[in-house]
Amino acid sequence: MDSPVVIRGTFLNQVFIPDGPLPEIKGRAELIVYQQLADETADERPSIFDVFGKAPQLRSAEDIDAQLRAERDSWDDP
């Protein structure tokens, strides 16, 4: 990569959470963290709800119910 790519996000509890998708590049990289000024509002911070529905393969409610039912049924085994 000839020029740097700026990836904005939040650094929280020693974890970096990007604001958007990461670039599709390969190889070594360097993360430099600069603390932003305190003038950002709560609406600008990422939310845990931003990650819902982004799993590589989504599961149906029936599939999850079946897995939970099988797990609960195994508890009755002596």
Side-chain angles (χ1 to χ4, degrees), residues 17-30:
I17 305 165
D19 288 343
L22 296 174
E24 294 188 24
I25 55 176
K26 294 182 181 181
R28 295 190 44 79
E30 182 176 12

Side-chain angles (χ1 to χ4, degrees), residues 24-63:
E24 294 188 24
I25 55 176
K26 294 182 181 181
R28 295 190 44 79
E30 182 176 12
L31 174 66
I32 301 173
V33 177
Y34 293 97
Q35 186 173 8
Q36 283 192 321
L37 300 175
D39 63 342
E40 69 178 1
T41 64
D43 292 339
E44 295 172 340
R45 291 188 300 227
S47 167
I48 187 64
F49 296 106
D50 294 336
V51 300
F52 287 139
K54 294 185 179 179
Q57 181 177 0
L58 299 178
R59 297 171 58 196
S60 68
E62 292 81 14
D63 180 39

